[in-house]
Amino acid sequence: MKLEAVELRRIRMPLVAPFRTSFGSQTARDILLVRARTDVAEGWGECAALPDPRYSAEYVDGVADVLRRFFLPAVAAATDLDANAVGRVLSPFLGHFMAKAALETAVLDAELRADGRSFGSFLGAAVDRVPCGVSVGIMDSIPELLDAVGGYLDQGYLRIKLKIEPGWDVEPVRAVRERFGDVALQVDANTAYAVSDARHLARLDPFELLLIEQPLDEDDVLGHAELARTVRTPICLDESITSARSAAAAIRLGACSIVNVKPARVGGYLEARRVHDVCAAHGVPVWCGGMLETGLGRAANVALAALPNFTLPGDTSASDRYYATDITPPFRLDDGHLRVPTGPGLGVEPDAALLEEVTTSVEEIDLR
Ligand code: NPQ
Ligand code: MG
């Protein structure tokens, strides 16, 4: 396979409701789509980066720059190109996991479309549908939160994740438990706490949460290990896990007993599968995280979430959790599950007219 050209397309997707986390509130997603044009097929990679480096060090204009300047020329120079080669060719370049993930996914999609093979089949999907959870943003009031959670439970979501931060943690968790009983419940702090908050976070213990996700800074793996000795709720890492190796280290340190696998954060689906494998080998359950993807990114996540050690429901919500109109045929919740696509590659295609409607810029980069 040969990479002949790449389209960098920016789209603006309004959210059905503002999504608030400890690092800010968003009303729309500004997304970079990478379209790989190869000699055998085309493929799509959706970039997870946000506009500002607040959730992670990467940001969408930075991703476009590193792709243009370094990654695309390097990958275009490879003669026997496949998705595995992308990781190899890009390994001399440090960091930029989301940029690497988007490009590798686009090449993998092209490769699999050419071979008539699905992402699920390639990754090793063990089931044809995956159980789904939903991530619920920070709200202005408890009644608003209870309305939102009640709505999601009515739709069939099998697990609720509450975003928390200092000042919005014990009370919302208590309120959801009191109203909705023993629903599967977990929280995500997106690094909003310090080790000195250990006593406070232990106040969540009586609520029997599935896990608390990333309470401390991403580089504070040792802090999470300390916290795990004070807090009875299982610690799950998200931002801290950037590779299979860092996952193994965090597990060995006792920093987490559950891992959120986000392909974008670890450089793509191949490394995400290795994270899955290393966690499985240590008896550590994983679940699939989300970055408010369109149907393109969602399709790949759902395929990954079908691997055998994804034993907890993921943030693989239906399209309408985030978008009134998705650029692909929408993923719909059926009995709390999403079906794993079976068509070639991602198994979904953007609708050309819908895609044009949300496009804010297109850059075609010829690599021949
Ligand atoms: C997380 N995702 O697990 C991320 C955080 C995240 C589904 O909770 C716009 C606004 C895009 C907020 C992408 C979920 C975002 C966002 C990801 C938050 O940490
Ligand atoms: Mg998270």
Side-chain angles (χ1 to χ4, degrees):
M1 202 162 83
K2 190 107 182 66
L3 185 61
E4 296 181 337
V6 161
E7 176 188 284
L8 299 182
R9 182 183 287 261
R10 293 279 284 269
I11 62 174
R12 187 177 181 284
M13 299 283 290
L15 295 169
V16 293
F19 188 57
R20 182 169 150 205
T21 65
S22 53
F23 59 91
S25 182
Q26 311 280 324
T27 55
R29 278 288 269 128
D30 173 3
I31 300 174
L32 170 67
L33 298 178
V34 176
R35 183 187 216 162
R37 305 191 193 274
T38 77
D39 54 339
V40 292
E42 287 193 1
W44 290 98
E46 175 172 340
C47 183
L50 303 182
D52 318 293
R54 294 178 200 276
Y55 167 74
S56 79
E58 291 185 83
Y59 62 100
V60 66
D61 286 333
V63 168
D65 187 74
V66 79
L67 286 172
R68 245 183 240 121
R69 208 183 280 276
F70 301 107
F71 295 179
L72 296 179
V75 170
T79 41
D80 270 335
L81 182 66
D82 63 11
N84 251 299
V86 174
R88 216 162 44 236
V89 166
L90 297 182
S91 63
F93 301 105
L94 306 183
H96 297 283
F97 300 102
M98 291 179 176
K100 290 175 177 176
L103 179 54
E104 185 192 271
T105 304
V107 170
L108 178 56
D109 186 29
E111 178 186 339
L112 294 176
R113 284 183 200 264
D115 293 347
R117 194 167 181 203
S118 70
F119 259 66
S121 156
F122 171 80
L123 291 171
V127 291
D128 57 12
R129 58 176 210 155
V130 300
C132 299
V134 60
S135 176
V136 184
I138 293 165
M139 305 275 172
D140 291 332
S141 70
I142 299 283
E144 274 177 86
L145 175 70
L146 294 177
D147 281 352
V149 170
Y152 293 130
L153 291 174
D154 288 345
Q155 290 169 44
Y157 283 104
L158 299 170
R159 180 227 73 187
I160 300 293
K161 162 168 134 179
L162 303 182
K163 292 289 190 180
I164 60 167
E165 65 182 0
W168 182 265
D169 43 34
V170 177
E171 290 320 312
V173 166
R174 183 199 315 281
V176 169
R177 267 283 175 260
E178 278 177 3
R179 172 75 68 90
F180 301 108
D182 61 0
V183 55
L185 186 63
Q186 63 192 53
V187 295
D188 184 1
N190 288 116
T191 77
Y193 295 86
V195 181
S196 54
D197 294 318
R199 299 308 322 162
H200 178 72
L201 289 170
R203 292 179 57 209
L204 293 170
D205 285 343
F207 301 104
E208 300 290 340
L209 302 177
L210 288 168
L211 59 90
I212 174 168
E213 179 180 350
Q214 198 69 41
L216 311 178
D217 284 348
E218 70 178 46
D219 67 355
D220 197 5
V221 176
L222 193 57
H224 284 97
E226 262 173 58
L227 193 64
R229 290 192 283 272
T230 305
V231 176
R232 199 168 48 79
T233 307
I235 306 285
C236 170
L237 291 179
D238 175 358
E239 287 90 325
S240 294
I241 305 299
T242 56
S243 63
R245 180 186 287 155
S246 69
I251 292 164
R252 275 269 289 260
L253 264 172
C256 63
S257 51
I258 299 173
V259 168
N260 167 331
V261 181
K262 262 186 201 160
R265 211 190 50 223
V266 301
Y269 287 85
L270 298 176
E271 187 69 10
R273 182 168 57 183
R274 291 190 280 268
V275 174
H276 163 274
D277 293 350
V278 86
C279 290
H282 285 87
V284 167
V286 304
W287 55 280
C288 185
M291 292 297 292
L292 284 56
E293 289 87 354
T294 72
L296 291 172
R298 197 161 298 283
N301 285 348
V302 169
L304 180 72
L307 270 62
N309 193 40
F310 281 83
T311 53
L312 292 165
D315 284 343
T316 48
S317 305
S319 296
D320 69 1
R321 155 66 183 90
Y322 295 114
Y323 305 114
T325 310
D326 205 336
I327 55 172
T328 65
F331 280 84
R332 287 210 172 83
L333 211 61
D334 176 9
D335 186 29
H337 292 68
L338 292 186
R339 246 196 308 278
V340 180
T342 54
L346 295 172
V348 295
E349 204 77 62
D351 177 279
L354 290 173
L355 188 58
E356 286 312 319
E357 264 177 54
V358 296
T359 295
T360 55
S361 72
V362 186
E363 178 182 353
E364 183 79 19
I365 302 174
D366 203 318
L367 297 164
R368 280 167 298 190

